[in-house]
Amino acid sequence: MPSTLKLSQRETAFNNEVVTRFELYNSLFQTLPFYQVKDTGILLPFFSSHCEKEANKQLSPAEIIESFFKKYVPDIEHREQINRMFRFIQYIERQVVLFDAIEDSSFSKIGREDETGTMQSLLQQAAVSEEQRTNIGKKLDDFSLRLVLTAHPTQFYPGSVLGIMTDLIEALKTNDINTIDVLLQQLGKTPFFNKTSPTPFDEAVSLAWFLENIFYHAVSGIQSKLEDEFELDTQRINQLLELGFWPGGDRDGNPNVTAEITKAVSGFLRQRVFRAYYRDFRVLKRRITFRGVEKSMVTLEKLIYDNAYSKQEPKNVQAEILAVLSSIRQTLIAEHDSLFVKVVDDLIKKVRLFGCYFATLDIRQDSRVLRNVFNYTVHQVPAETGIVKGYESFDEPEKLQKLTFNKTDFHCPDDADKLICDTLNTIRLMKQIQHTNGEKACQRFIISNCQQASDILQLIDLFLWSGWDKDNLSVDFMPLFETVNDLTHAAEVMERLYTHPFYKEHLQKRGNLQSIMLGFSDSTKDGGYLMANWSIYKAKVELTAMARKYGVALAFFDGRGGPPARGGGKTHRFYASMGEEIANEHIQLTIQGQTVSSQYGSVETARFNMEQLINAGIISALHPNRNDLLDKRHKELISKMADESYKLFIALRQHPLFVEYLEKFSPLKLLSHINISSRPTKRNTDASLKLEDLRAISFVTSWSQLKQSIPGFYGVGTALSKMKENGHWDEIKELYTKSGFFKTMVDNCTMSMSKSDFRVTAYLENDEKFGSFWTMLKDEFELTKAMLLELTGSEVLMQEYPVERRSIAIREKIVLPLVIMQHYALQCLNDCNDEELIKIYNKLVIRTVYGIVNAGRNLA
């Protein structure tokens, strides 16, 4: 009864705080006379209503658009109709921002259904007894949380729009109507997209906004709260809370990321953190006006100001700043009754957390590129490297024996291949960045598509051949296992590393902690939703067992996107549901796209979501739920379902119409023209489109634009149906009730399906070529929906999460006209020979993508 009451209270609060206020401010917004067409805002509600009504009749997008103009604006020609559609788009994409802002401003009043997973519940447990407080403190000393910002383009707002959103959220909290009105006008006149694609440096600048305005305050706030409550080791090597950064470091498949860009981004991050320190210092300066600290304050100001604003040769001054702050602190305690010592403590905490680097700049490159660099270097200086002739043809065990780990100083010649030069120059640059910004500034090298132990050991050789010393090799080498096949062999690869004498010694020097990255996106594209989740779970169990066998501490770094199809969804629940078989002392995950703005878009939401992740890690360690330890029978059941799902998904991928369907009815071919990323939409950009070259993000984005969410559910219904046919249904229902892992996986699947809308493409049912293919997709959707409703005992998808369900439904309603316009333009393109019109239709498709992507915010 209490939980039902709580849900109804949340629903009431959501309706009052979000739905009602959106209707109110949206009506105000629609009366603003933007874009030379006075009646656009007035006409838009009629257009939205028309799209909804006609989509229910399963009419084609062309029929919907044409009937609207015939009914409401009958006297304009085709090009003016298109002009009106562009105006509608400009309003709708701003409606999405307005809804985001209203939802964020209401956060504290609506809360979340998972309030028990916050820091408050952890503190309540600590208050029960001193023993419990000590136990939590010990676990916190062994625990770490690392959030890594990536520039993967699943949502993109320019910094100017982010600034307006921040101010709008604050104004909405107090319903300051005058400020809201002005900000909505500003929003209406501010461009939402770039005329050219952003460079990797532009992406870094955009994401650094979150570092400076959100994480700088949220991370230090949580650290303070924990230090106040628990006796924590503030001198530990691995910090409790750490930030990572990929823009400017992630060069996997992105030729635009170069050593020069990496250097520029590391310098920019350094500058931004010092500017944040300087803002805090000015507060400190207004308060610390006592005798005895004058010289220290002058020294401190010069140290911080020079690094924030003066162009000088950078060096790592973290220890120097901490020493001066410590001296000021001691004087305040000894001579001034500890007045304002907390202000000093706050800055000390921030300098400890963010150093001279703000966030660790991760370097990432594909194993195939690294192998080429290795072979090139060996051929250039065979004697110095000591690698024997014919090494390339050796099998893996022989390669591991023949690696020499000689030290040499090879400089890449200017006429070498660009990728080879960049790799070798970046390896040298990492050492320079560590020297100027501190070791943590750039200490992780991630090997994408890692398939064997030699991929890592050969990279270590490249470091030793580029001026690094094996006794001071302050770098963590991190394999990234992505495909279903690579995940299957991951434990075997790691055993070869753990037993290799050189690597074993290197790992001990690095605190005997191994980080392993596991990628959700590519495994989903490779094997479908169920197989991807199950493959990663199994790999984690096997990798944990292997690490424990060799006494190695393990940190899993999860590459998760915003949507469930890319590993997103209720992330904290995944970590809370890890049983004892899976190492969970360290939580590391990527945050990107929708996740950045929806879960970390304000200090309040960022703190809430980070606290949930900390709580998930600590509670699962202190009170492991025996139900989360899947027994042999449960594993058999999930494995059978994953296999059934995988078979169906592979059959779909191999269908002769699969790629053609995506190309023809989704904006896939046009994604490369969308200026939201410096990254190509596919690898091997010069070659014709192949599924294996298509980036997972482009793959998932295309299906989400189609409103079919195939990567998030396809095969799940068939797998559940087979279980029922074979008499295992009661066991599956019990599994859903008892296993946190299985329940979270199912719940995230229902969220993906809630964002699907087959009405948009229903006209394809009678298409001569694609009709049966579309029907196959729709049938699996309906089967999955029926099976999930039966499994969860629900009448509608996401019934257990009514507020989140309503939020998704409103967003889908807002963008339905965008989806209809996109498919209308794609339909027009199929029959158009007019080059000028083709350009206009392409532009119309591209413009709709922005709003649809941004509205796909993963609120859950």
Side-chain angles (χ1 to χ4, degrees):
M1 185 68 183
S3 61
T4 307
L5 180 64
K6 188 177 177 183
L7 283 174
S8 63
Q9 286 173 341
R10 286 188 70 235
E11 285 179 83
T12 302
F14 183 81
N15 287 333
N16 293 338
E17 295 296 327
V18 178
V19 181
T20 303
R21 289 203 300 158
F22 175 68
E23 289 168 357
L24 172 68
Y25 291 121
N26 189 39
S27 62
L28 170 70
F29 183 59
Q30 286 179 333
T31 60
L32 298 174
F34 299 134
Y35 321 118
Q36 297 110 32
V37 183
K38 290 185 180 178
D39 63 349
T40 303
I42 297 165
L43 204 54
L44 181 57
F46 295 104
F47 182 56
S48 300
S49 174
H50 184 82
C51 287
E52 182 75 31
K53 190 169 66 177
E54 301 302 293
N56 284 331
K57 297 177 185 175
Q58 302 199 344
L59 296 180
S60 74
E63 290 171 313
I64 294 171
I65 297 293
E66 286 161 13
S67 61
F68 170 78
F69 283 112
K70 188 176 180 181
K71 182 176 180 179
Y72 291 97
V73 200
D75 301 324
I76 59 173
E77 50 91 34
H78 181 61
R79 286 172 193 261
E80 180 54 28
Q81 290 177 354
I82 294 172
N83 185 41
R84 294 293 176 101
M85 283 190 266
F86 277 112
R87 303 298 160 245
F88 285 150
I89 291 167
Q90 289 173 310
Y91 267 96
I92 294 167
E93 60 193 4
R94 284 159 177 78
Q95 282 181 318
V96 172
V97 172
L98 178 61
F99 190 77
D100 281 352
I102 291 170
E103 210 164 42
D104 286 348
S105 72
S106 310
F107 182 84
S108 60
K109 294 177 183 176
I110 300 168
R112 293 288 192 267
E113 87 283 5
D114 292 318
E115 293 293 347
T116 52
T118 62
M119 187 76 74
Q120 198 55 41
S121 68
L122 202 62
L123 299 181
Q124 285 168 356
Q125 290 191 45
V128 171
S129 69
E130 201 53 43
E131 183 186 4
Q132 185 78 326
R133 182 180 296 279
T134 303
N135 288 339
I136 292 173
K138 282 179 182 174
K139 288 296 177 189
L140 283 166
D141 275 335
D142 295 332
F143 175 81
S144 69
L145 170 65
R146 180 189 291 263
L147 299 180
V148 181
L149 284 159
T150 82
H152 290 8
T154 52
Q155 186 176 61
F156 188 84
Y157 286 126
S160 54
V161 173
L162 288 171
I164 296 169
M165 286 175 74
T166 303
D167 295 340
L168 189 56
I169 289 165
E170 289 308 308
L172 284 162
K173 283 180 180 176
T174 56
N175 287 314
D176 179 351
I177 192 77
N178 293 326
T179 304
I180 292 166
D181 185 34
V182 172
L183 289 170
L184 289 177
Q185 290 186 55
Q186 184 188 358
L187 190 67
K189 292 178 179 292
T190 302
F192 264 47
F193 59 95
N194 305 301
K195 289 188 176 178
T196 57
S197 293
T199 65
F201 187 80
D202 294 333
E203 290 171 332
V205 171
S206 178
L207 277 173
W209 186 93
F210 290 95
L211 289 180
E212 220 175 330
N213 294 282
I214 308 298
F215 289 105
Y216 182 73
H217 305 289
V219 171
S220 59
I222 294 172
Q223 183 78 28
S224 294
K225 199 170 179 181
L226 289 171
E227 285 180 12
D228 287 346
E229 291 291 334
F230 305 100
E231 293 289 325
L232 298 183
D233 178 8
T234 54
Q235 303 300 321
R236 54 185 277 185
I237 297 170
N238 293 310
Q239 291 171 199
L240 171 60
L241 301 169
E242 293 185 305
L243 297 172
F245 204 73
W246 274 22
D250 177 16
R251 58 238 310 125
D252 175 18
N254 190 347
N256 300 311
V257 179
T258 62
E260 290 75 21
I261 289 285
T262 302
K263 184 177 183 180
V265 170
S266 71
F268 177 75
L269 290 176
R270 175 194 176 87
Q271 180 198 66
R272 298 325 288 184
V273 77
F274 274 101
R275 290 190 179 181
Y277 293 155
Y278 190 68
R279 284 193 292 273
D280 281 355
F281 171 79
R282 289 172 69 181
V283 174
L284 194 72
K285 191 177 179 181
R286 284 205 301 274
R287 295 289 168 266
I288 312 297
T289 52
F290 318 132
R291 293 188 184 281
V293 294
E294 299 95 336
K295 283 186 181 178
S296 294
M297 289 295 286
V298 169
T299 303
L300 184 61
E301 181 165 22
K302 182 171 172 51
L303 266 174
I304 296 175
Y305 183 88
D306 285 354
N307 281 282
Y309 295 100
S310 300
K311 289 195 173 180
Q312 55 177 29
E313 193 62 37
K315 64 175 183 175
N316 183 13
V317 292
Q318 182 187 25
E320 213 174 325
I321 291 172
L322 287 172
V324 178
L325 281 167
S326 179
S327 163
I328 293 169
R329 185 180 190 275
Q330 285 166 7
T331 303
L332 293 181
I333 293 169
E335 300 174 24
H336 301 289
D337 303 317
S338 298
L339 197 57
F340 299 125
V341 78
K342 283 196 170 181
V343 185
V344 179
D345 283 343
D346 181 61
L347 189 51
I348 287 173
K349 198 167 282 98
K350 285 168 178 169
V351 175
R352 275 191 185 139
L353 283 167
F354 307 117
C356 300
Y357 57 92
F358 219 148
T360 298
L361 187 59
D362 287 349
I363 306 298
R364 181 170 80 127
Q365 185 55 283
D366 189 276
S367 63
R368 290 162 290 196
V369 173
L370 297 174
R371 286 173 210 151
N372 287 340
V373 179
F374 178 85
N375 293 334
Y376 171 84
T377 311
V378 168
H379 288 139
Q380 289 290 308
V381 282
E384 288 89 339
T385 63
I387 301 296
V388 298
K389 199 171 181 180
Y391 171 87
E392 286 176 59
S393 62
F394 294 164
D395 62 15
E396 179 69 359
E398 199 171 357
K399 279 183 178 177
L400 300 190
Q401 282 186 340
K402 298 296 183 184
L403 285 166
T404 56
F405 305 104
N406 287 354
K407 187 178 185 313
T408 187
D409 196 19
F410 173 69
H411 288 263
C412 189
D414 294 337
D415 62 353
D417 176 81
K418 281 184 182 178
L419 271 179
I420 290 171
C421 266
D422 176 70
T423 304
L424 292 170
N425 291 341
T426 300
I427 287 171
R428 286 185 177 276
L429 178 62
M430 287 178 71
K431 193 174 189 181
Q432 186 184 329
I433 292 171
Q434 287 195 6
H435 176 70
T436 58
N437 296 8
E439 183 184 312
K440 289 180 180 178
C442 193
Q443 62 173 170
R444 297 168 21 126
F445 201 119
I446 299 158
I447 301 97
S448 298
N449 192 42
C450 187
Q451 295 176 328
Q452 46 207 23
S454 57
D455 285 334
I456 289 181
L457 296 174
Q458 287 172 184
L459 176 59
I460 291 177
D461 255 342
L462 289 175
F463 272 75
L464 299 179
W465 300 340
S466 301
W468 286 79
D469 188 90
K470 62 184 174 184
D471 292 326
N472 297 298
L473 188 54
S474 49
V475 177
D476 297 315
F477 298 95
M478 191 181 311
L480 166 51
F481 301 110
E482 297 177 89
T483 67
V484 171
N485 185 57
D486 290 349
L487 288 163
T488 304
H489 296 104
E492 178 189 328
V493 169
M494 295 314 299
E495 183 165 35
R496 282 179 165 163
L497 283 171
Y498 296 150
T499 55
H500 190 280
F502 185 92
Y503 192 77
K504 186 178 177 182
E505 188 182 339
H506 171 72
L507 204 57
Q508 284 169 347
K509 288 173 187 168
R510 301 299 297 160
N512 215 29
L513 173 65
Q514 175 67 55
S515 294
I516 298 174
M517 188 171 182
L518 303 172
F520 275 79
S521 300
D522 280 286
S523 51
T524 305
K525 186 189 121 190
D526 186 46
Y529 180 74
L530 264 183
M531 180 56 87
N533 278 277
W534 182 235
S535 296
I536 287 169
Y537 185 92
K538 280 197 304 179
K540 281 190 170 184
V541 170
E542 291 162 7
L543 287 164
T544 301
M546 194 61 72
R548 287 171 180 170
K549 178 180 177 182
Y550 292 101
V552 173
L554 189 57
F556 286 117
F557 177 23
D558 291 316
R560 294 175 174 272
R566 298 188 52 241
K570 297 181 182 299
T571 309
H572 65 281
R573 288 197 177 170
F574 263 116
Y575 291 112
S577 68
M578 295 293 105
E580 290 175 322
E581 287 184 298
I582 293 176
N584 206 27
E585 291 84 13
H586 307 278
I587 292 177
Q588 301 183 13
L589 68 153
T590 56
I591 55 171
Q592 54 190 264
Q594 302 99 322
T595 316
V596 180
S597 57
S598 66
Q599 296 188 5
Y600 303 93
S602 69
V603 174
E604 189 179 21
T605 56
R607 283 192 63 160
F608 178 87
N609 284 293
M610 290 173 76
E611 286 177 8
Q612 279 201 318
L613 288 167
I614 295 168
N615 184 281
I618 299 302
I619 295 304
S620 67
L622 279 176
H623 311 294
N625 185 344
R626 300 305 303 170
N627 292 326
D628 286 326
L629 188 63
L630 294 171
D631 63 29
K632 188 179 176 184
R633 178 58 182 156
H634 288 151
K635 287 177 182 176
E636 282 174 9
L637 289 169
I638 298 176
S639 187
K640 281 179 182 175
M641 285 189 284
D643 288 341
E644 286 293 342
S645 173
Y646 182 67
K647 275 190 278 185
L648 197 74
F649 190 80
I650 292 300
L652 175 67
R653 278 182 43 141
Q654 292 171 349
H655 194 288
L657 294 178
F658 184 76
V659 174
E660 190 181 350
Y661 179 86
L662 260 188
E663 282 190 297
K664 193 175 180 72
F665 300 112
S666 85
L668 176 61
K669 287 192 291 188
L670 296 171
L671 289 180
S672 59
H673 300 288
I674 296 172
N675 298 321
I676 60 173
S677 173
S678 67
R679 225 172 146 89
T681 54
K682 66 186 183 78
R683 295 176 173 88
N684 301 324
T685 49
D686 297 331
S688 59
L689 181 64
K690 292 179 185 172
L691 186 58
E692 56 268 28
D693 289 333
L694 186 63
R695 292 198 169 283
I697 294 168
S698 306
F699 180 73
V700 172
T701 299
S702 297
W703 286 113
S704 69
Q705 295 283 313
L706 265 166
K707 287 294 156 194
Q708 292 181 353
S709 303
I710 294 298
F713 77 84
Y714 198 82
V716 175
T718 293
L720 289 171
S721 180
K722 277 279 169 67
M723 289 291 110
K724 189 174 181 181
E725 282 174 29
N726 295 334
H728 304 309
W729 194 239
D730 286 342
E731 289 178 284
I732 299 299
K733 286 171 80 170
E734 182 192 34
L735 185 61
Y736 176 75
T737 307
K738 290 188 174 180
S739 166
F741 164 74
F742 187 67
K743 178 174 169 45
T744 305
M745 190 164 63
V746 167
D747 288 351
N748 281 343
C749 179
T750 63
M751 190 199 306
S752 271
M753 296 184 73
S754 297
K755 297 178 182 181
S756 299
D757 188 351
F758 275 81
R759 295 176 305 168
V760 177
T761 49
Y763 70 98
L764 290 174
E765 185 175 9
N766 300 315
D767 187 273
E768 190 177 331
K769 184 174 183 179
F770 295 97
S772 59
F773 184 82
W774 180 89
T775 302
M776 180 176 74
L777 302 180
K778 177 71 163 34
D779 287 348
E780 181 62 20
F781 176 84
E782 293 299 341
L783 175 62
T784 305
K785 182 178 176 182
M787 297 309 300
L788 289 175
L789 291 177
E790 187 178 345
L791 176 63
T792 59
S794 304
E795 293 176 11
V796 292
L797 292 174
M798 293 187 71
Q799 185 172 312
E800 195 178 336
Y801 312 103
V803 169
E804 285 75 12
R805 188 180 81 244
R806 187 83 194 278
S807 174
I808 289 170
I810 294 171
R811 289 172 182 280
E812 293 302 314
K813 188 174 181 179
I814 292 170
V815 297
L816 178 63
L818 291 182
V819 179
I820 299 289
M821 284 187 280
Q822 181 185 106
H823 288 269
Y824 166 73
L826 288 167
Q827 272 189 283
C828 291
L829 279 167
N830 290 331
D831 304 310
C832 184
N833 297 314
D834 183 325
E835 285 199 19
E836 189 184 347
L837 270 177
I838 287 171
K839 284 180 183 175
I840 293 170
Y841 292 140
N842 281 341
K843 188 180 177 185
L844 190 61
V845 171
I846 289 164
R847 284 301 313 279
T848 59
V849 170
Y850 290 96
I852 298 168
V853 165
N854 288 338
R857 183 186 205 187
N858 202 31
L859 184 94

